[in-house]
């Protein structure tokens, strides 16, 4: 049995957090490969080391002094070294970083040093081998991951190293230039390591006990989700529920390796299991609720629309020509509505409207702004009668007007459109009917 464990920035932000991480790793001998992020925030208002590095590098690029900024970063690591009484010095590393910054070695290189240095410290603390990600994770020139080379080099290195720390977030191009994933990308490194060593589980340790049924900023103390499938997760993530980098799912999903989201500050909690498939029923019919504000609806009317072949295509062509992607297209007999992101639409609206007129010749178009979409997601909905009914009676009881309804053919989700102002109340009403009353 092999486990890959990835720790996020807040789990490794201070010596106290390092100690918690050490305990977690030592408590299970299967936790053999560790992927750290850079030190994150220690308290509200604190700065992440990655952001500090971007800041210092921005000054270096402008040929301004960055000594103060680099010293502040040094101090973050020194706090960890002193707190844990490590016999490690990073001063050689910092001399090299200073030199490289002066040579303007690239923003990605600069940002990657956060994980690199934290990896060195964590390896020393655990007594594990340190494997520099630049020697095992590779990118093509265009920035895409070089999947074959990475898989080959990473699995070879892991085969020869029974216990290792591999820093997250970065790798190298064939010419040695450092390249990073997008922000939060240590999750992807963890997933690649899990795939390369054929781990039994990929544990992703963060500062929450897994995914919640609803956003805790909207619902007070929401229940956490015990098991979620990759498809459900994708629906919720698309609607803004984030705990894990989206691209981290693919490598492990293909290998059938489950992900377990865990909380470094509450290691006894089971967290959330993300799996390909499960026969386990979710506790509450629905698995989760998520949503986003800031949509607008373009309502198009044309008499006898239903018998005009190609009408829908012509309308959508107007959006395509203006490079706007649509979210949902509910339709009636003589009406069709297109939901789009308001921020994308605003600047192009007159061009899009003119194109709809030209291509589809509608009788009228009207616009509605400030709308929100809410996704109610659950693999259990397919087999449960009355789910939609419960959602809408909950919304009616809360006096909330539903603007749009869309149920995917997979019956995995129901999407509801409401006014931005009703967004929070609608989520709370749906949460209450399924979780609190639990009938
Ligand atoms: N340290 C990087 C960031 O802040 C990557 C990560 O933490 O996953 O985005």
């Amino acid at each position: 049995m092999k486990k890959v464990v990835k720790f996020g920035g807040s789990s490794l932000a201070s010596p106290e957090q390092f100690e918690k991480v050490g305990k977690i790793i030592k408590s299970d001998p299967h936790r053999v490969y560790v992927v750290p992020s850079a030190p994150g925030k220690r308290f509200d208002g604190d700065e992440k080391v990655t952001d500090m590095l971007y800041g210092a590098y921005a000054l270096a690029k402008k040929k301004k002094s960055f000594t103060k900024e680099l010293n502040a970063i040094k101090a973050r690591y020194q706090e960890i070294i002193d707190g844990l009484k490590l016999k490690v010095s990073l001063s050689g590393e910092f001399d090299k970083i200073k030199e490289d910054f002066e040579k303007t070695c690239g923003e990605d290189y600069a940002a990657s040093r956060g994980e690199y240095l934290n990896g060195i410290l964590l390896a020393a603390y655990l007594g594990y081998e340190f494997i520099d990600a630049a020697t095992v994770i590779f990118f093509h020139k265009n920035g895409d991951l070089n999947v074959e080379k990475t898989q080959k080099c990473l699995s070879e290195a892991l085969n020869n190293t029974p216990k290792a720390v591999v820093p997250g977030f970065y790798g190298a191009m064939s010419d040695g230039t450092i390249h990073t994933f997008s922000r939060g990308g240590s999750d992807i490194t963890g997933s690649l390591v899990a795939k390369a060593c054929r781990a039994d589980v990929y544990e992703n340790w963060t500062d929450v006990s897994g995914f919640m049924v609803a956003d805790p900023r909207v619902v007070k103390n929401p229940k956490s989700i015990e098991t979620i499938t990759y498809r459900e997760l994708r629906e919720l993530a698309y609607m803004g529920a984030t705990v894990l980098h989206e691209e981290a799912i693919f490598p492990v999903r293909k290998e059938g390796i489950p992900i377990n989201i865990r909380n470094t500050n509450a290691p006894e909690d089971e967290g959330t299991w993300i799996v390909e498939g499960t026969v386990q029923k979710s506790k509450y019919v629905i698995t989760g609720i998520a949503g986003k504000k800031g949509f607008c609806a373009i309502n198009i009317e044309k008499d006898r629309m239903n018998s005009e072949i190609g009408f829908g295509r012509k309308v959508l062509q107007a959006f395509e020509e203006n490079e706007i992607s649509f979210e949902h297209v509910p339709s009636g007999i003589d009406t069709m509505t297109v939901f789009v992101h308001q921020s994308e639409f605003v600047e192009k609206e007159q061009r899009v409207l003119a194109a709809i007129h030209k291509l589809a010749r509608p009788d009228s178009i009207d616009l509605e702004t400030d709308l929100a979409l809410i996704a109610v997601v659950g693999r259990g909905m397919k087999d449960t009668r009355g789910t939609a009914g419960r959602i809408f009676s909950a919304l009616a009881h809360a006096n909330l007007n539903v603007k749009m309804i869309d149920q995917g053919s997979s019956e995995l989700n129901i999407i509801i459109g409401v006014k931005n102002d009703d967004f929070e109340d609608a989520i709370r009403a749906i949460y209450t009917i399924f979780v609190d009353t639990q009938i």
Side-chain angles (χ1 to χ4, degrees):
M1 169 94 145
K2 251 183 277 173
K3 293 183 179 176
V4 170
V5 286
K6 181 260 168 181
F7 289 90
S10 62
S11 302
L12 292 165
S14 65
E16 295 74 32
Q17 290 299 88
F18 260 70
E19 278 167 3
K20 289 185 195 169
V21 166
K23 265 199 202 127
I24 290 167
I25 294 172
K26 298 257 159 67
S27 70
D28 184 345
H30 300 119
R31 293 182 173 132
V32 287
Y33 297 121
V34 187
V35 176
S37 280
K41 294 182 182 180
R42 293 160 295 182
F43 43 83
D44 266 357
D46 196 16
E47 210 181 348
K48 290 181 174 190
V49 164
T50 309
D51 292 319
M52 297 167 85
L53 285 160
Y54 280 124
Y57 186 71
L59 293 170
K61 229 168 102 184
K62 286 190 214 143
K63 301 284 173 223
K64 289 194 178 151
S65 163
F66 56 92
T67 312
K68 195 174 111 230
E69 287 70 19
L70 199 62
N71 282 341
I73 297 167
K74 245 190 232 174
R76 290 291 307 263
Y77 290 98
Q78 201 55 46
E79 183 192 349
I80 296 169
I81 295 174
D82 295 343
L84 300 175
K85 301 192 173 55
L86 295 177
K87 289 185 185 54
V88 184
S89 164
L90 293 178
S91 54
E93 297 290 351
F94 272 103
D95 291 344
K96 168 105 177 61
I97 290 171
K98 181 166 177 274
E99 232 173 76
D100 290 334
F101 271 39
E102 278 159 0
K103 283 191 267 179
T104 51
C105 51
E107 196 173 54
D108 282 12
Y109 166 84
S112 76
R113 297 305 86 185
E115 271 67 13
Y116 171 78
L117 297 170
N118 227 19
I120 293 177
L121 296 191
L122 188 59
Y125 181 55
L126 297 171
Y128 279 25
E129 207 69 44
F130 173 75
I131 299 178
D132 185 354
T135 63
V136 286
I137 300 219
F138 295 97
F139 293 93
H140 292 294
K141 268 213 174 73
N142 67 0
D144 289 350
L145 181 74
N146 184 336
V147 178
E148 292 76 31
K149 192 170 173 190
T150 299
Q151 172 65 17
K152 184 172 168 290
C153 296
L154 191 53
S155 54
E156 260 172 34
L158 298 175
N159 274 340
N160 296 323
T161 328
K163 290 179 166 191
V165 172
V166 185
F169 193 38
Y170 72 95
M173 314 251 205
S174 332
D175 65 359
T177 313
I178 298 290
H179 185 73
T180 63
F181 294 109
S182 54
R183 293 301 301 264
S186 299
D187 286 342
I188 309 173
T189 311
S191 184
L192 293 169
V193 171
K195 177 184 171 195
C197 75
R198 299 187 162 276
D200 296 273
V201 47
Y202 169 26
E203 289 180 350
N204 190 296
W205 290 80
T206 164
D207 52 9
V208 286
S209 293
F211 277 94
M212 304 292 147
V213 174
D215 187 337
R217 286 166 300 188
V218 178
V219 173
K220 221 163 131 204
N221 293 325
K223 298 275 187 234
S224 59
I225 300 173
E226 286 171 11
T227 310
I228 185 169
T229 65
Y230 288 118
R231 287 181 62 208
E232 289 173 311
L233 179 65
R234 166 121 177 83
E235 301 278 354
L236 290 172
Y238 183 70
M239 276 297 186
T242 49
V243 172
L244 190 72
H245 196 297
E246 253 208 285
E247 288 165 47
I249 291 169
F250 189 65
V252 283
R253 179 177 184 176
K254 261 187 104 182
E255 299 299 310
I257 302 169
I259 305 174
N260 187 196
I261 308 282
R262 300 285 292 263
N263 187 350
T264 303
N265 305 319
E268 60 292 345
D269 290 355
E270 257 291 295
T272 299
W273 284 89
I274 308 169
V275 298
E276 176 68 51
T278 176
V279 289
Q280 285 185 43
K281 298 227 160 46
S282 51
K283 243 185 182 155
Y284 311 108
V285 179
I286 62 161
T287 304
I289 315 162
K292 283 199 264 194
K293 288 183 180 179
F295 291 94
C296 63
I298 297 97
N299 300 312
I300 300 141
E301 253 195 83
K302 187 173 188 180
D303 200 22
R304 309 185 68 78
M305 176 194 292
N306 68 326
S307 56
E308 184 180 328
I309 291 173
F311 185 84
R313 177 186 53 74
K314 290 173 204 159
V315 169
L316 294 180
Q317 189 182 335
F319 290 87
E320 185 182 353
E321 281 176 0
N322 287 287
E323 292 182 351
I324 295 176
S325 66
F326 64 88
E327 295 294 314
H328 290 279
V329 188
S331 61
I333 297 174
D334 290 331
T335 61
M336 172 172 169
T337 303
V338 184
F339 273 79
V340 291
H341 281 278
Q342 200 158 317
S343 58
E344 272 180 51
F345 180 70
V346 175
E347 55 195 67
K348 297 177 180 167
E349 67 170 15
Q350 294 311 318
R351 268 188 279 152
V352 178
L353 297 181
I356 298 174
H357 275 292
K358 192 175 93 199
L359 292 160
R361 308 224 154 271
D363 295 335
S364 68
I365 303 179
D366 71 61
L367 304 173
E368 193 164 359
T369 58
D370 302 320
L371 297 171
L373 293 176
I374 296 170
V376 185
V377 176
R379 58 187 181 277
M381 298 198 308
K382 196 159 66 143
D383 306 314
T384 318
R385 264 172 300 153
T387 310
R390 285 170 71 190
I391 294 174
F392 297 114
S393 69
L395 294 172
H397 271 107
N399 238 331
L400 301 167
N401 191 13
V402 176
K403 295 273 171 190
M404 192 262 314
I405 305 163
D406 197 354
Q407 177 171 27
S409 52
S410 63
E411 289 186 62
L412 193 65
N413 64 3
I414 296 177
I415 311 274
I416 302 145
V418 295
K419 277 268 172 212
N420 274 348
D421 289 345
D422 291 341
F423 178 72
E424 283 84 6
D425 285 342
I427 290 183
R428 282 191 280 265
I430 299 167
Y431 180 89
T432 305
I433 193 84
F434 285 101
V435 179
D436 292 342
T437 36
Q438 228 196 105
I439 33 165

